[in-house]
Amino acid sequence: MSRPRIVIVGAGFAGYRTARTLSRLTRHQADITLLNPTDYFLYLPLLPQVAAGILEPRRVSVSLSGTLPHVRLVLGEADGIDLDGHTVHYTGPEGEEGTLPFDRLVLAAGSVNKLLPIPGVAEHAHGFRGLPEALYLRDHVTRQVELAAAADDRAECAARCTFVVVGAGYTGTEVAAHGAMYTDAQVRKHPMRTGMRPRWMLLDVAPRVMPEMDERLSRTAERVLRQRGVDVRMRTSVKEATHDGVVLTDGSTVDTRTLVWCVGVRPDPLVESLGLPMERGRLLVDPHLQVPGRPELFACGDVAAVPDLNQPGQYTPMTAQHAWRHGKVCAQNVAASLGIGERRAYRHRDMGFVVDLGGAKAAANPLGLPMSGPAAGAVTRGYHLAAMPGNRVRVAADWLLDAVLPRQAVQLGLVRSWSVPLESSSPEVARVPGGPERHGKATGPAGQRPDGEETGNQPGGEPARNQPGGESAKGQPGGEPAKGQPGGEPAKNQSGGEPAKEQPGAKPAKNQPRGEPAGSRSHGGRAKGGQSGSPRASGKPRRAVEAAGPRSAREGSGKPGRAPRASGAGSAGKRPTAPSGPSRSAGPPTDPGPEPPANQPPPGPDIAPGPVKRTDRRAAEGDS
């Protein structure tokens, strides 16, 4: 008799611990497969220290294959689940598709950035949920301080060294606290104009900083922030975001090139496709983390609404502490369903919270005992070292070096602005030119961002938002994108660009050599939760696979649990379907057309035209 097959979707706190515990409990009596977009487990609480240059990125990235030797790792993102057929369909990092059969399925896909219906935020802000976003923020803050120090205009200098963080929860508070220390250390090497210094702002509609914590700890955190010069404004948020700054709800305007979005998260939209009972975007489970009526399906972490047995009628919050404990209980119950051990219900005891404010400062309440100052700092870092499943010595070494050596502030340029869009449902994976479409959705035409990188007529800039191919606008050397062109389509006379919109077949637009087919697919992106006009059917794929090109009868591929993609919200009627890339069986390339004009060099050999992007505007995200 074959061994039972267990598939775990997601390798966050819940998924990683489920895989590790199951590997120990089953002892080779089951085949365990872990499906995740990356090959590492990210220790998210230390991500602000990566953005502040304290820790190197690999310190908070724990290798999955190195720490889970008896678990099969499959790189990819689940985009369709057929519960009746017991299969999970996924798309790999290079666009390849695959199917994983299962006897037991554990959903631990985690959470994504939560957007609010605020004009300009999706176009001009960046989230803070993944390693690429942290690396981008570190480079961006470093660049803005250096540009501010060299600016001749006093207003430009002030705008570049102003940093706005929205959301005063754990993440936002730590980002502002560490960021203020980082920029203060940087300006000592780059003197500002007389009377100028970096300015950090922390905004939230809540009445106090970190409202989830004890009021004494909130006061401690706010006091530390204000001592470092952070402008803390409670009951205030962003009313509108523009290229030049933000308009606040109190009517004031702040000139800035940096807007960091830390307002919260929502469950991964994958679970919405199952058509099962939900609770505010989370899949309803019983105290054993099993979906009622589906004995083969378990869920844990941020995607699961787990009853709180200590508070009847409530559900456990979406925190890393709960997700880590969910994983252990879920693994025990999955093993029990296979006849190994006994089931147990999830019941927790609050161990307290810790918030690292940088340096020797922290706020903590271990076992309900409020602490602040150096003692809280020691407890906080000790807790993180104990909770990390790996890299403890390296993390401690980086902390020691940061205490005795000056912090390095350099731009690595590894992550560009357009590769970490706020609306992405895969914040852990940076978008790359020519790569497969991530399951995010464009939020409108490409515009200028507050980081000053996609401003008009700036040679050497980055591609516009949702234009991963790096196409250039007319007369803009250095790859500057055309403003307001949806779907990643370049302007007239763009070399290396894509053909004009609504052109059938593979005929390139005028003066566009190396043209790709038009981007008018009616199914070119994943439908996300909260989007109007495009509800997801059960088992519907989560994202398009442009790299695979057109397939025969893709709308009705015959794969179990997959359904045709619906047109996005805001699309004006049904558009004709066109392929987004060359077919696997395509013949010779089309006529490249005339040579590009002299003032517009073709893109370099290392940049491939990117996939066609969706251009429909996202509807407001639901609160999780």
Side-chain angles (χ1 to χ4, degrees), residues 57-349:
R58 286 186 297 176
R59 305 296 186 257
V60 299
S61 309
V62 179
S63 170
L64 296 178
S65 57
T67 55
L68 302 173
H70 304 299
V71 175
R72 177 193 174 203
L73 172 64
V74 175
L75 293 179
E77 294 182 77
D79 52 25
I81 298 175
D82 181 8
L83 294 179
D84 296 329
H86 285 211
T87 57
V88 176
H89 183 271
Y90 70 93
T91 303
E94 296 181 353
E96 68 277 14
E97 296 182 343
T99 301
L100 297 174
F102 65 84
D103 298 304
R104 298 292 185 274
L105 176 63
V106 178
L107 293 179
S111 55
V112 299
N113 289 314
K114 180 174 67 176
L115 288 175
L116 298 178
I118 300 176
V121 166
E123 293 81 9
H124 302 288
H126 282 289
F128 201 81
R129 287 290 299 169
L131 200 55
E133 293 173 323
L135 292 175
Y136 169 76
L137 183 61
R138 183 170 70 177
D139 274 5
H140 172 75
V141 171
T142 304
R143 176 169 55 253
Q144 295 308 308
V145 172
E146 292 171 349
L147 292 175
D152 294 328
D153 182 64
R154 186 179 183 87
E156 179 185 356
C157 176
R160 289 195 179 278
C161 61
T162 298
F163 308 95
V164 178
V165 180
V166 184
Y170 299 106
T171 301
T173 299
E174 290 187 345
V175 168
H178 284 281
M181 292 186 64
Y182 180 64
T183 53
D184 285 345
Q186 192 176 356
V187 297
R188 287 196 286 267
K189 301 177 182 179
H190 298 277
M192 296 289 185
R193 299 173 63 91
T194 303
M196 300 295 296
R197 60 162 294 176
R199 177 192 181 194
W200 284 79
M201 297 183 63
L202 181 62
L203 313 176
D204 203 305
V205 294
R208 57 187 174 91
V209 173
M210 293 188 301
E212 312 91 350
M213 297 188 68
D214 183 86
E215 188 172 355
R216 289 171 292 182
L217 299 180
S218 295
R219 289 197 300 265
T220 298
E222 183 172 351
R223 182 176 65 252
V224 172
L225 291 172
R226 294 190 183 279
Q227 289 173 350
R228 292 182 184 164
V230 178
D231 185 1
V232 180
R233 299 191 185 184
M234 295 293 97
R235 303 183 187 277
T236 305
S237 187
V238 173
K239 182 179 180 180
E240 181 182 2
T242 65
H243 163 63
D244 297 320
V246 294
V247 180
L248 305 184
T249 53
D250 60 7
S252 60
T253 300
V254 178
D255 294 334
T256 181
R257 301 292 187 270
T258 307
L259 181 59
V260 186
W261 193 254
C262 302
V263 297
V265 296
R266 66 186 186 92
D268 192 290
L270 171 66
V271 296
E272 297 175 359
S273 67
L274 301 177
L276 298 174
M278 309 285 291
E279 170 62 29
R280 302 185 69 182
R282 293 194 284 174
L283 193 62
L284 276 173
V285 298
D286 60 22
H288 301 93
L289 284 77
Q290 193 169 22
V291 177
R294 288 286 181 176
E296 77 283 2
L297 181 59
F298 296 78
C300 54
D302 290 350
V303 299
V306 182
D308 190 342
L309 299 183
N310 294 330
Q311 302 181 46
Q314 301 294 322
Y315 298 93
T316 59
M318 297 167 58
T319 63
Q321 186 178 129
H322 280 288
W324 186 251
R325 298 174 182 177
H326 286 175
K328 181 179 179 180
V329 175
C330 185
Q332 293 172 336
N333 291 334
V334 171
S337 70
L338 300 175
I340 304 173
E342 297 181 355
R343 293 206 312 168
R344 56 170 294 192
Y346 177 75
R347 187 183 297 273
H348 71 95
R349 178 190 176 194

